Amino acid sequence: MPFDSSPDLLVDDSLPARRTSALLAIVAGAALIGNCLLNSPSRFSEQQLHDASPLHWVVWLLALGGQFPTARGVEIRNLIFYSAAAILAILAGARLALSGVRPRMSEDDLWDFRRRASSPYFWWFLLLIVSALSSWYAHAPAVCKGQTIARLLQAAWWFPLAALLVSKHVRMVAITLVAALATTAAIGIWYQLARVMPNLPAARLQYPMGNELWLAACLLPGVFVALGLVAARPRTVWLGAAVLALLVMAAALALTRSRSAAAGLVAGFVAAGLCLAPPKWRKPAILTICLLGIAGALYFQKQFSGGLRSHSFRSRIGYEWPYALHLFSLKPIAGHGDGAYSLLAGQFARMDQLDDPGIMRSDENVWSGHAHNEFLQLLCDLGILGTLAFAAAIGTTLYHAFRTVTASSLPGESPGNRWLVIGLIGALAASTVEACGTPAIREPGATPIVLTVWACLWALVRRSRPAVPTDERDKPFSEAALRLTGLVAVLGAAALGWHGIQDWRAARARFESEAALNEMQFVRSAQQADFAAAHLLDPFQKNLARMIATWARSLEFDRRLAHSAAAPGDDELDVAHEALTRLNQLKQDTPRFLRVSRIESALCLNLARAYERRGERASRDEYQEKFIAALEASRADEPFLADRVAALWRAKPTATVMDRLNWLRALIRVGEMDPQVLQLFSSLDRAPGFAQALEDLYQIAARDENRTPDDWEDRLSPETLRLAALAKALSGSPADAARLADRAVSLYEKAGPRLFGGTAAALHESVHYRFAADPTTLTEENLDRLARAHTLLGSPATRESTLAGSLGETRLHLLLAAGREKDAEAQIPRLESTSPDAPLPTQLAQAYVRLASSFAEEPGRYPNVQRWCRRAEELAPTIPDPHAVLIRAALRAGDESTAQSAARKILDLEPDRLKAAEYLTGLRQRYPGLALWADLAKSYPGLFSPVTSKPTTSQP
């Protein structure tokens, strides 16, 4: 076996080397095409099912006919990537084992760290070692090892391409990559124009890679690689195709409107420009660029202080990045384990959500799984060592690439390759900067694209390094050692490939487990989730499968208890105890994870019931206490879910009035009060000590009005004022309630974007109270307040804008009360509370009915109610609803004549006589002894018979 002292390990001009390189290029190219285009959706949309255009068949083909659904629809890209990475590593290992050339490298050369550190190979090895060791000693090694295996698969993709591709095949891989990304972009634009824009004109481009940031991260390097191919001036036909691909990718990239991609685009062009700049200008240029970058970051931090898209920017600099730095400070050397950020950061988001619910609201479907900055997440996961290794691997590649471009041409290569190197430099620099703002590189699809660009760049520039000086006294590695290394590489790659395939099977199993859960097949769901939890590589997805497995066991135990009133046996208790054991381990690995506390509360409650049936009182009391503790933890984890508060309200009768007020205040911080909040607050209004507790909180809030939010004595002071306003409104003082709501708005405004949801809700409540005090005045001012609330929630509006949701319903009432019926007609189509299939006059009449109903119990507003009901009758004379409201108002105001007339119209118009009779019977019980009831009984025999008598006052 001849020696080779060149920087390349196994690349020469021999036929085996060229064949190996060609095979690697073919495998990588095919994998890139599949990675960019294929997906595995859980189901097709109705639009897809009813589409007869060619796009239907394109989407159907890319989704493989929907035959392999997964939970997110993107896991098939991991299968392609991991399988191809294993094949590439097997080819490289076989080349190493069967090569007829071996390097002149000895053991002493291996320990020459200075020389080894001059190439990315060394830093890649260090990164893998740190990943393995950090995960081994992590707090959850069984979870973190999956990310280490994924990192090994990334290395299995990068190393063969970087070390064994020849320049001709680098160009082939680059062309395939551009073609795949251009096709992806073209299909995405087609889908956007045909399916998305007709319904959502302002939507950002997403299909077919994932969300807009994900797609932008994938397309970004393709722009620079295409530029490199164009500048290389290939044949005219290929030049035209490259230009077309460049334009399509650039258009798609612009449609994603990704700020991270825009920053990457600037960085890529700067890096490419530095390649072409004279060497003496580079250092001043780099310094200037750094200063401009700092100034730009400060400018954007100041500019993005409000609005919907600013929330993502604030979440990064205010929370996600500080979480990573905090975790890094706890274990700075080697981190918490690969992928540990997704396990540990969520607990901090749970604590911060009350201070910034607009972006940090956590519920059972939301979790902080990414830092949105690859380097900061690496600091958390792998500490200084891992982050340094990753950054140095990229840095050494770019350093040698810059040195190569400085020369007039690549030694012994086509002059066009110099332009391809420049394009690849721009692509790698762009992706590196883009990774500082998104987690796309950790998601299926983007990783092989970035690794391919990186590997192709190194493959082009590695031969430009100076040859290693040889020493005749050194003894090179033996042929047997080289072949054994190749064999180990083949076996290791096969093992990695098995893990990659199992990851795909686990993704399918996770989807099946959720489907079985929805079908109430809990045993099957638990089995599928167990397999998914054992084989998924991504730490977050693994924990999600573990949670589903526990959830399914909890539901199975609940079903067994429900199906039998007998005392459960030991085998049934074992199901619950096993679920509880699994849950405790999950809580240890991932504190405060998603719906874990809710599942624990359900388990403990059922265990308490089970032990009560068995007559084991001590165990029953123990699990009853655990149930309440878990319920409290669930409410703390999800403070904005009304059902959690209601469940705790019932389960803990010993809770004080102050406890319950705190639960309600946290519940409404996120925004509007729902009916359940009003119900709970009304019940609390009658509790002993309520007035004093609310007064104590009010005094604190009054003091906080003169302080900045950071100095507030009570973080929930704005909500205190909102509840105080509600109390005033319920006591019949809407004007006082409006003033308190205005004070709450002022407090919210001090907090700025963090509490935009609460500000909008307080503005809306202020309008409600003002409207309740006098529905016919201050219309313009109230419209302005509603428009401002709508703007704070992310959609700019003026007083003339039609609004959606509850704000739109209030706006409709304002317009109707002010007599602006034409404007009200324009508002109606934006509302969900109307009947969209009904004629517009009927919808308008229903709106008048809702308006009148809100004032029907106020005698002072009886003339208004009469007028609105009469107008509703004019618009829709065949519906009984206006008369149902009018009779309530007339009875409340003592107008018996109008009430009798309204009652007769209800009986004449309501097709369901029994329903009408039940409604009138309820009113009769509320207002007994009136002559009109006797008159109605004479005119309509049997109207008030016992059969139809039900105490209800719901409208017919």
Side-chain angles (χ1 to χ4, degrees):
M1 178 182 291
F3 295 127
D4 181 11
S5 61
S6 72
D8 279 338
L9 180 63
L10 294 169
V11 178
D12 53 29
D13 295 328
S14 65
L15 183 60
R18 295 198 301 273
R19 286 178 175 174
T20 301
S21 177
L23 284 173
L24 293 174
I26 292 171
V27 171
L32 286 170
I33 292 172
N35 172 81
C36 291
L37 296 176
L38 298 183
N39 50 63
S40 51
S42 57
R43 63 180 179 85
F44 287 119
S45 66
E46 290 296 320
Q47 199 171 9
Q48 165 67 16
L49 293 175
H50 295 95
D51 186 8
S53 71
L55 182 60
H56 167 88
W57 298 108
V58 172
V59 173
W60 184 89
L61 183 63
L62 297 186
L64 300 177
Q67 296 301 305
F68 307 98
T70 58
R72 297 190 297 162
V74 298
E75 288 83 355
I76 194 171
R77 296 178 192 141
N78 273 344
L79 173 66
I80 296 169
F81 171 45
Y82 292 157
S83 301
I87 295 172
L88 292 175
I90 288 172
L91 291 174
R95 169 67 176 146
L96 189 64
L98 303 175
S99 174
V101 177
R102 61 191 175 108
R104 188 182 294 276
M105 181 180 290
S106 67
E107 293 184 9
D108 291 337
D109 292 326
L110 285 179
W111 295 105
D112 187 354
F113 291 121
R114 183 176 181 181
R115 191 176 299 278
R116 299 284 77 77
S118 66
S119 76
Y121 302 128
F122 171 83
W123 298 108
W124 260 104
F125 278 119
L126 180 60
L127 177 64
L128 297 176
I129 292 170
V130 173
S131 175
L133 291 177
S134 180
S135 296
W136 181 270
Y137 292 103
H139 76 287
V143 180
C144 293
K145 74 174 184 180
Q147 187 64 41
T148 295
I149 293 172
R151 204 169 291 281
L152 287 168
L153 283 162
Q154 294 172 13
W157 177 282
W158 185 87
F159 269 93
L161 298 180
L164 299 181
L165 278 184
V166 299
S167 61
K168 178 176 70 173
H169 297 135
V170 168
R171 180 181 289 269
M172 187 175 88
V173 171
I175 291 173
T176 305
L177 175 63
V178 169
L181 291 176
T183 304
T184 301
I187 294 173
I189 293 174
W190 184 10
Y191 189 92
Q192 184 81 357
L193 294 175
R195 296 258 180 101
V196 180
M197 290 186 69
N199 300 317
L200 299 170
R204 300 159 69 185
L205 183 63
Q206 298 183 0
Y207 185 83
M209 290 301 294
N211 64 34
E212 57 275 2
L213 300 183
W214 199 341
L215 177 61
C218 294
L219 295 178
L220 179 61
V223 171
F224 292 96
V225 178
L227 280 172
L229 292 173
V230 169
R233 297 184 181 86
R235 297 176 183 175
T236 305
V237 175
W238 292 111
L239 179 61
V243 171
L244 178 61
L246 174 62
L247 295 176
V248 170
M249 287 187 290
L253 193 62
L255 289 174
T256 64
R257 301 203 299 274
S258 168
R259 295 180 300 225
S260 299
L265 203 65
V266 172
F269 280 115
V270 167
L274 289 175
C275 292
L276 301 174
K280 65 178 181 178
W281 291 0
R282 288 179 184 169
K283 289 183 180 180
I286 292 173
L287 179 61
T288 302
I289 291 167
C290 290
L291 293 175
L292 289 175
I294 294 172
L298 294 175
Y299 171 78
F300 279 107
Q301 181 176 353
K302 181 179 179 181
Q303 291 298 311
F304 291 111
S305 59
L308 190 60
R309 289 197 68 194
S310 72
H311 293 337
S312 61
F313 188 81
R314 289 194 304 107
S315 70
R316 286 158 173 72
I317 64 172
Y319 301 99
E320 293 163 350
W321 296 355
Y323 294 162
L325 292 172
H326 172 68
L327 289 168
F328 161 69
S329 68
L330 300 179
K331 284 190 175 182
I333 304 302
H336 295 264
D338 216 346
Y341 183 92
S342 67
L343 311 184
L344 300 174
Q347 60 185 316
F348 305 131
R350 297 281 201 201
M351 292 185 286
D352 286 334
Q353 60 184 331
L354 277 176
D355 291 324
D356 202 341
I359 60 173
M360 299 309 294
R361 176 177 180 175
S362 297
D363 56 35
E364 57 197 30
N365 299 311
V366 177
W367 189 252
S368 296
H370 296 293
H372 285 83
N373 185 305
E374 181 63 22
F375 295 95
L376 292 180
Q377 189 156 345
L378 276 173
L379 279 175
C380 165
D381 293 350
L382 302 180
I384 293 175
L385 292 178
T387 307
L388 175 64
F390 182 74
I394 295 176
T396 52
T397 303
L398 291 173
Y399 171 76
H400 287 291
F402 271 106
R403 290 191 58 183
T404 299
V405 171
T406 301
S408 58
S409 64
L410 294 173
E413 303 288 354
S414 168
N417 281 350
R418 181 171 184 266
W419 290 106
L420 182 55
V421 168
I422 294 174
L424 290 169
I425 287 174
L428 183 56
S431 293
T432 301
V433 171
E434 193 278 338
C436 294
T438 73
I441 197 174
R442 289 180 177 260
E443 296 291 347
T447 306
I449 295 171
V450 175
L451 290 177
T452 299
V453 168
W454 186 358
C456 286
L457 178 59
W458 181 250
L460 282 179
V461 304
R462 65 174 186 259
R463 303 192 73 178
S464 66
R465 294 182 300 146
V468 179
T470 60
D471 190 335
E472 295 297 331
R473 295 172 296 179
D474 290 341
K475 294 182 179 180
F477 285 108
S478 65
E479 179 180 345
L482 199 62
R483 295 188 186 279
L484 179 61
T485 303
L487 179 61
V488 170
V490 170
L491 296 176
L496 290 174
W498 179 84
H499 280 292
I501 293 172
Q502 291 295 90
D503 178 78
W504 162 250
R505 293 183 61 207
R508 295 276 294 115
R510 195 202 125 192
F511 171 78
E512 295 295 338
S513 73
E514 291 181 331
L517 198 67
N518 293 331
E519 295 168 3
M520 301 183 71
Q521 299 177 11
F522 302 131
V523 174
R524 178 170 171 267
S525 175
Q527 292 171 347
Q528 293 286 346
D530 283 342
F531 180 84
H535 296 287
L536 281 168
L537 298 182
D538 181 84
F540 175 75
Q541 299 300 324
K542 179 186 284 287
N543 283 332
L544 200 56
R546 293 169 67 191
M547 187 192 74
I548 294 171
T550 307
W551 188 13
R553 286 175 169 82
S554 173
L555 292 173
E556 175 63 19
F557 182 56
D558 181 75
R559 180 164 64 181
R560 292 185 184 185
L561 285 181
H563 284 182
S564 174
D570 292 341
D571 58 335
E572 292 176 305
L573 289 178
D574 288 342
V575 173
H577 284 297
E578 180 187 0
L580 206 54
T581 300
R582 289 168 174 262
L583 206 61
N584 288 330
Q585 183 60 53
L586 183 57
K587 286 168 59 180
Q588 180 179 338
D589 293 345
T590 313
R592 305 181 74 174
F593 186 64
L594 291 179
R595 64 164 60 221
V596 165
S597 56
R598 179 184 289 217
I599 297 171
E600 184 181 12
S601 67
L603 273 170
C604 291
L605 176 61
N606 281 329
L607 280 168
R609 291 170 176 168
Y611 281 115
E612 184 174 18
R613 292 183 188 179
R614 289 165 63 102
E616 301 178 24
R617 294 181 173 239
S619 296
R620 180 204 64 183
D621 294 342
E622 175 189 353
Y623 281 102
Q624 182 68 24
E625 291 178 3
K626 289 182 177 180
F627 159 65
I628 294 177
L631 205 55
E632 289 179 317
S634 177
R635 195 227 46 104
D637 287 347
E638 302 161 340
F640 310 123
L641 297 183
D643 66 320
R644 293 293 83 200
V645 173
L648 185 57
W649 199 284
R650 294 188 300 269
K652 192 176 181 182
T654 59
T656 65
V657 170
M658 187 62 75
D659 290 335
R660 298 177 192 275
L661 280 173
N662 287 334
W663 299 342
L664 291 176
R665 291 193 303 152
L667 185 59
I668 66 173
R669 164 151 276 197
V670 74
E672 300 276 355
M673 298 184 192
D674 64 18
Q676 199 165 17
V677 173
L678 300 179
Q679 180 182 357
L680 294 173
F681 185 77
S682 298
S683 67
L684 188 61
D685 189 24
R686 299 184 293 271
F690 165 76
Q692 185 59 50
L694 189 58
E695 177 63 23
D696 292 342
L697 291 174
Y698 172 78
Q699 293 301 328
I700 297 174
R703 293 195 295 269
D704 285 340
E705 286 184 278
N706 300 317
R707 299 168 177 164
T708 61
D710 292 337
D711 296 327
W712 281 351
E713 186 178 346
D714 180 0
R715 69 198 298 198
L716 298 174
S717 282
E719 288 70 31
T720 296
L721 295 176
R722 289 174 63 191
L723 289 183
L726 178 59
K728 286 291 186 182
L730 293 176
S731 66
S733 303
D736 293 336
R739 284 190 287 272
L740 285 169
D742 288 341
R743 291 170 62 185
V745 170
S746 299
L747 264 183
Y748 277 126
E749 287 176 335
K750 291 184 178 182
R754 293 185 299 157
L755 300 180
F756 271 175
T759 312
L763 282 167
H764 191 188
E765 289 160 13
S766 173
V767 172
H768 264 300
Y769 300 142
R770 290 169 184 271
F771 186 66
D774 190 346
T776 59
T777 61
L778 301 176
T779 301
E780 299 302 320
E781 181 181 340
N782 285 333
L783 289 174
D784 285 337
R785 286 171 173 264
L786 291 179
R788 184 177 163 210
H790 202 265
T791 301
L792 290 174
L793 294 176
S795 300
T798 65
R799 68 170 61 166
E800 304 301 328
S801 303
T802 58
L803 309 179
S806 61
L807 292 173
E809 183 72 19
T810 302
R811 182 175 187 272
L812 178 62
H813 288 174
L814 287 171
L815 295 171
L816 292 176
R820 295 168 54 176
E821 199 168 285
K822 287 294 183 183
D823 293 334
E825 290 178 358
Q827 172 62 55
I828 282 179
R830 293 290 307 276
L831 303 180
E832 298 178 357
S833 57
T834 57
S835 303
D837 297 331
L840 183 59
T842 301
Q843 295 186 51
L844 198 59
Q846 291 171 341
Y848 270 117
V849 168
R850 293 194 299 274
L851 170 62
S853 180
S854 63
F855 289 94
E857 300 298 325
E858 299 182 23
R861 297 297 173 195
Y862 180 54
N864 301 102
V865 174
Q866 270 189 308
R867 184 174 69 255
W868 297 327
C869 288
R870 299 298 184 202
R871 180 54 182 157
E873 183 182 9
E874 293 173 4
L875 291 167
T878 61
I879 64 174
D881 305 66
H883 310 291
V885 174
L886 183 57
I887 189 174
R888 283 171 48 210
L891 289 172
R892 186 75 174 84
D895 185 355
E896 192 171 344
S897 174
T898 301
Q900 186 176 77
S901 174
R904 293 180 181 278
K905 288 187 177 180
I906 291 173
L907 291 168
D908 292 340
L909 296 174
E910 174 56 55
D912 188 345
R913 177 58 63 86
L914 179 60
K915 184 177 179 181
E918 290 175 355
Y919 180 67
L920 293 175
T921 300
L923 291 174
R924 181 191 181 196
Q925 293 175 352
R926 187 176 173 188
Y927 299 97
L930 299 179
L932 73 92
W933 305 126
D935 293 340
L936 289 174
K938 290 179 183 179
S939 301
Y940 302 90
L943 177 63
F944 299 118
S945 64
V947 176
T948 62
S949 294
K950 292 184 180 180
T952 177
T953 57
S954 60
Q955 291 180 201

